[in-house]
Amino acid sequence: MDLDVFVHAHRIEWDRLDHLLRRGRRLTGAEADELVDLYQRTATHLSLIRSSAPDPLLVARLTQLVARARSTVTGTRRASWRDAARFLTAGFPAAVYRSRHWWIPTAVLSVLLAALMGWWIGTHPEVRSAIAAPEDLRRMTVPGGEYETYYSSHPATSFAAQVWTNNAQAAAMCLVLGAFLCVPVIWVLFLNVVNLAVGIGLMSSAGRLDVFLGLVLPHGLLELSAVFVAAGTGLRLGWTVIDPGPQTRRAALAQRGRAALGMAIGLALVLFVSGVIEAFVTPSGLPTWARISLGTAAELLFLAYVYVLGGRAVRAGNAGDLDAVERSAELPTAA
């Protein structure tokens, strides 16, 4: 492409589009139609210049012009309660459902690894001695020890807020850092697995594994599910950098990134529920079977929410992404 010739041929159109945009709403019907036509042409011009002769100044000017035109053509809209309801009943569960091929294997492998590491710690005294001194281990695992009193060591309300904040941060890190070729996500996930394995190993070595599971399962089922969903989504985002599939890498990352951002909001709500369970149910005086039953019910409700509402939304064409009108248009590129 001869850039000078191209600019000379289309400069009048760009100037005319800029003039119409400056007039704002004072346009006749014919001028509004002309603005739409010029917007589409300029968007195509921008795509051609980017792919064939990417002059930085010209690209910057046309990018700004196309953005202004798109805002004028599509208008602006405010989020409403209807948008929030649609997100909770369709967008979020659809995104989780679509990523199930990533987070379910992540969950299975993580649980198996935690069980294996827990068995290794519980059956090898030299490993436990490397974790802490014998008196410290005893202080953690005896009846009324640190593992049991941890959940009632602070007022329930502040404890719930602290737990929710910590877990939401971990989930957000998995979602945001997934684009760095999956490595940070694997590290965050590994730390969670190690923490779980240490508890399993130490309490099983003290013959109190049933007590540990009775404390962890009520909130842990839902909490770990949210972490596994975040980790699986982050791994999917990281793999997109490596293999974007039939889409361009930029378009694939934009789609996966938007879905991940929405999932961060949804998972924060899920983790809020698990935090409430951890603060009010786990340390309560309810029998162990009742506490585990409540945790299991919360987990089953989440899975039903994902598979029923999410599956229905996906079959209806919801990809867990923004609506088409809210996304940037994917423009054709020159071969």
Side-chain angles (χ1 to χ4, degrees):
M1 175 191 292
D2 188 321
L3 187 60
D4 292 333
V5 173
F6 190 85
V7 171
H8 181 74
H10 299 289
R11 184 188 297 276
I12 295 177
E13 294 175 287
W14 304 337
D15 291 342
R16 175 61 177 169
L17 177 59
D18 182 64
H19 173 72
L20 293 175
L21 290 173
R22 291 179 185 278
R23 291 186 55 187
R25 298 184 178 181
R26 298 171 298 172
L27 299 177
T28 64
E31 287 173 333
D33 292 338
E34 182 185 6
L35 187 148
V36 173
D37 181 59
L38 289 173
Y39 158 59
Q40 294 172 337
R41 292 186 190 178
T42 304
T44 302
H45 297 161
L46 175 60
S47 178
L48 291 171
I49 292 172
R50 277 176 170 167
S51 59
S52 302
D55 178 82
L57 294 179
L58 184 59
V59 167
R61 182 200 171 189
L62 293 185
T63 298
Q64 183 183 40
L65 193 60
V66 168
R68 290 168 54 205
R70 183 176 185 273
S71 177
T72 301
V73 170
T74 61
T76 57
R77 60 189 300 273
R78 296 180 179 178
S80 64
W81 287 109
R82 183 175 299 177
D83 295 322
R86 186 167 63 249
F87 168 75
L88 292 176
T89 58
F92 172 59
V96 178
Y97 182 83
R98 283 176 61 88
S99 63
R100 68 192 184 281
H101 298 301
W102 286 88
W103 61 262
I104 290 178
T106 298
V108 172
L109 291 175
S110 297
V111 171
L112 290 177
L113 181 59
L116 180 61
M117 292 177 64
W119 168 83
W120 181 56
I121 293 171
T123 56
H124 291 74
E126 67 276 12
V127 177
R128 297 195 298 275
S129 64
I131 295 175
E135 58 272 18
D136 293 330
L137 295 179
R138 184 177 182 280
R139 187 166 56 249
M140 288 188 287
T141 57
V142 296
E146 293 177 4
Y147 271 115
E148 291 184 48
T149 59
Y150 168 76
Y151 298 102
S152 56
S153 58
H154 297 87
T157 303
S158 61
F159 184 69
Q162 178 185 352
V163 167
W164 176 59
T165 301
N166 293 338
N167 290 332
Q169 287 177 345
M173 287 177 63
C174 289
L175 293 168
V176 173
L177 299 179
F180 294 96
L181 301 179
C182 306
V183 175
V185 178
I186 295 174
W187 178 247
V188 172
L189 190 61
F190 179 72
L191 291 179
N192 279 272
V193 169
V194 168
N195 287 335
L196 180 60
V198 168
I200 292 174
L202 295 183
M203 290 294 277
S204 65
S205 68
R208 308 190 70 233
L209 180 60
D210 57 333
V211 176
F212 178 75
L213 294 179
L215 292 170
V216 170
L217 290 179
H219 64 273
L221 291 172
L222 188 59
E223 178 183 300
L224 288 175
S225 293
V227 172
F228 293 146
V229 169
T233 303
L235 293 174
R236 183 189 187 197
L237 185 62
W239 185 252
T240 300
V241 178
I242 301 171
D243 180 15
Q247 297 176 288
T248 64
R249 183 169 282 102
R250 180 179 179 181
L253 278 174
Q255 180 181 353
R256 302 284 189 274
R258 288 190 299 264
L261 182 61
M263 289 178 72
I265 300 172
L267 289 177
L269 297 176
V270 176
L271 288 169
F272 174 78
V273 175
S274 73
V276 170
I277 295 174
E278 185 170 0
F280 293 94
V281 175
T282 297
S284 70
L286 292 172
T288 300
W289 66 265
R291 289 185 280 112
I292 294 179
S293 296
L294 288 174
T296 302
E299 173 70 2
L300 292 176
L301 285 173
F302 174 70
L303 294 176
Y305 168 73
V306 170
Y307 276 84
V308 175
L309 293 184
R312 181 187 305 163
V314 168
R315 289 189 292 272
N318 193 316
D321 197 0
L322 296 174
D323 293 336
V325 71
E326 298 173 317
R327 301 196 298 264
S328 298
E330 294 183 13
L331 303 173
T333 57

